[in-house]
Amino acid sequence: MKLVLTCEHGGNQVPQAYRHLFRGAQDMLNSHRGWDPGALDLYEALLPQADAGWSATVTRLLVELNRSPGHPKLFSEYSRVLGPAEREQVLATYYRPFREAVARRIARFLKAGHPVLHISVHTFTPVLDGKPRDLEVGLLYDPAHGRERVIAKAWKDRMQELAKGWRIRMNQPYKGTSDGHTKALRERFGAGYAGIELEVRNDLLLHPQASVIVRSAMAISLQDLRKSRDLFPGGR
């Protein structure tokens, strides 16, 4: 089994050419709408285990790397004002290189006979629209994909052993079947590919002591997951 990691929302950087679009928007850029706070640190903690990995630090408010072409939220209210040619330039510079590099590597692994587990690393805000979210970790997957369901359940069980008291929810705070990077790759590659979005509450990763526990539990549980021959029988 080959492990691929991605971090689509690792930063809130605005390239120089587009800074005029975000004048007065620093608070929004610093919020969860501008990026996934803590996600890049967690991605980098897990990266030594991966066979391949990609992270992005351009703000999702310029272009949303976790949305498909044509999705209404591919561009935000800030970047939607760009003309067709300018949008195409954004896609050619920031979106397609990221998405296509991941897909090419997965295709090579599958062609060589290796099943692929793709973990897409994200964080979520503890409170959304005034409503607290009652979980620490979410694992998003497609319930109809047999391998994803089994992997997600095994990962949850191992994490729960390492971090007792965590509320680990399946397909919360979002659905694994909603539009996203893993869904697009799942539809493209079929059964040889398994994609899980890892969602961690961002305040845990921003707290010095809690972040150590989170990174450790994630790294150990993922390492144990990879060792399971029952989950990853040889070939496709």
Side-chain angles (χ1 to χ4, degrees):
M1 192 275 294
K2 297 295 185 181
L3 176 63
V4 173
L5 291 181
T6 60
C7 181
E8 287 78 5
H9 306 142
N12 58 359
Q13 296 178 4
V14 179
Q16 180 66 42
Y18 304 102
R19 287 183 182 172
H20 65 284
L21 300 175
F22 296 93
R23 290 194 187 104
Q26 195 58 50
D27 287 347
M28 187 66 74
L29 286 167
N30 290 337
S31 76
H32 70 275
R33 283 209 55 212
W35 64 315
D36 281 0
L40 187 61
D41 288 342
L42 178 56
Y43 162 85
E44 290 176 346
L46 300 178
L47 191 57
Q49 299 189 45
D51 298 290
W54 287 265
S55 61
T57 55
V58 65
T59 177
R60 64 197 297 182
L61 293 173
L62 180 64
V63 63
E64 172 55 274
L65 300 182
N66 203 36
R67 293 290 174 263
S68 297
H71 192 280
K73 292 186 178 179
L74 182 64
F75 293 96
S76 74
E77 65 270 29
Y78 297 97
S79 55
R80 209 171 291 134
V81 300
L82 295 171
E86 293 172 301
R87 290 194 200 182
E88 176 57 33
Q89 184 61 49
V90 170
L91 293 175
T93 304
Y94 302 103
Y95 182 88
R96 292 196 194 99
F98 183 90
R99 298 273 295 230
E100 291 173 2
V102 176
R104 282 195 301 269
R105 184 62 63 87
I106 290 171
R108 286 203 295 271
F109 286 149
L110 292 175
K111 187 176 181 179
H114 302 289
V116 171
L117 172 60
H118 169 206
I119 305 295
S120 179
V121 181
H122 296 265
T123 65
F124 65 93
T125 182
V127 179
L128 184 66
D129 297 330
K131 297 180 180 179
R133 285 156 149 179
D134 64 342
L135 71 160
E136 280 72 43
V137 177
L139 298 176
L140 316 186
Y141 65 100
D142 183 353
H145 189 299
R147 181 177 286 173
E148 288 183 5
R149 184 175 64 250
V150 171
I151 292 171
K153 175 64 165 57
W155 197 10
K156 174 186 175 180
D157 290 347
R158 183 62 181 126
M159 257 192 273
Q160 202 78 75
E161 292 174 358
L162 295 167
K164 297 187 185 332
W166 279 8
R167 294 163 297 180
I168 304 171
R169 315 285 195 207
M170 311 297 258
N171 281 319
Q172 291 186 35
Y174 310 106
K175 299 296 183 185
T177 52
S178 299
D179 180 72
H181 197 184
T182 55
K183 181 181 180 181
L185 292 169
R186 187 183 300 132
E187 292 175 348
R188 177 170 176 174
F189 292 116
Y193 165 90
I196 294 176
E197 283 193 43
L198 170 63
E199 291 275 358
V200 179
R201 213 177 67 206
N202 64 30
D203 61 322
L204 297 176
L205 288 164
L206 299 178
H207 187 283
Q209 291 178 320
S211 65
V212 173
I213 297 171
V214 172
R215 290 195 297 270
S216 175
M218 293 296 173
I220 294 170
S221 62
L222 184 57
Q223 186 177 50
D224 291 346
L225 193 72
R226 291 200 70 184
K227 293 176 181 176
S228 173
R229 295 189 180 276
D230 292 335
L231 294 176
F232 305 105
R236 283 182 283 170

